[in-house]
Amino acid sequence: MRETVAIDCFVVPSLKFKMLYALVVLSHDRREILHTAVTEGPSAPWTMQQLREAFAFRDYPKYLVHDRDYAFRGLHRLGVEEILTSFRSPWQNAFVERVIGTIRRECTDHIVPYDEEHLAEILRKYSSYYNQDRTHLSLNKDSPLGRRVETEGRVVAV
């Protein structure tokens, strides 16, 4: 069961010179990206809908960590206990901030999205890679969804 989930938004400029806001929903237990979404203007109803979609087939978490952004107002109506970070204190939501930094370094710094749909597709593909294939030191070099370890074969020195 996922007890704690963190959410945050980050900005990506598009090829059409628009600022796109990407939302990341991250589970604390295995650092799994549960959901990503993109919009030109985040609002509280949009964020609430994204959380409903993220937990459509799962139970809501007990705790939801987020900052004091206007787009995150009223999330207590989902039945979760909100943990608000202090003003200008990104280190208090460190797990999702680190994932956003990883997404920036490995993905969005190298690709300029055309529009919302393009960025959403990029983030979907990156989330799949991040959850299934990318190794994490905090998970003992495993991926959030777990990977099968190959035990057969030979190691040959060249």
Side-chain angles (χ1 to χ4, degrees):
M1 181 179 158
R2 295 172 175 89
E3 289 285 321
T4 307
V5 170
I7 61 173
D8 204 1
C9 285
F10 66 101
V11 180
V12 179
S14 74
L15 195 61
K16 294 181 174 183
F17 301 106
K18 292 187 178 180
M19 301 307 278
L20 302 176
Y21 294 85
L23 174 75
V24 177
V25 181
L26 179 79
S27 173
H28 272 215
D29 61 344
R30 297 274 303 173
R31 312 297 191 266
E32 178 187 355
I33 297 175
L34 301 175
H35 185 71
T36 58
V38 179
T39 186
E40 284 185 15
S43 63
W46 177 81
T47 305
M48 192 169 298
Q49 180 60 34
Q50 296 309 313
L51 286 174
R52 284 189 194 109
E53 290 177 17
F55 297 102
F57 302 106
R58 307 177 182 113
D59 292 332
Y60 281 107
K62 187 172 182 182
Y63 303 104
L64 183 63
V65 182
H66 61 84
D67 56 18
R68 298 173 184 272
D69 192 341
Y70 184 75
F72 301 143
R73 301 229 172 169
L75 297 179
H76 65 277
R77 288 181 271 171
L78 294 173
V80 297
E81 185 176 333
E82 293 179 286
I83 300 174
L84 299 176
T85 61
S86 299
F87 182 67
R88 291 189 180 213
S89 302
W91 59 88
Q92 293 180 354
N93 199 358
F95 295 129
V96 77
E97 293 290 346
R98 186 172 190 129
V99 167
I100 288 172
T102 300
I103 291 171
R104 284 187 186 280
R105 281 186 304 277
E106 296 181 1
C107 189
T108 60
D109 283 353
H110 305 283
I111 300 170
V112 179
Y114 183 70
D115 57 5
E116 284 182 53
E117 292 175 16
H118 186 214
L119 180 58
E121 181 64 24
I122 290 168
L123 290 176
R124 252 190 311 279
K125 289 179 179 179
Y126 185 80
S127 296
S128 175
Y129 158 73
Y130 183 90
N131 289 334
Q132 295 172 4
D133 299 321
R134 188 177 184 278
T135 59
H136 298 254
L137 289 176
S138 65
L139 298 175
N140 200 18
K141 294 192 177 182
D142 196 7
S143 66
L145 296 179
R147 298 182 312 154
R148 187 175 60 83
V149 177
E150 295 193 26
T151 57
E152 296 179 10
R154 296 182 314 148
V155 177
V156 179
V158 178

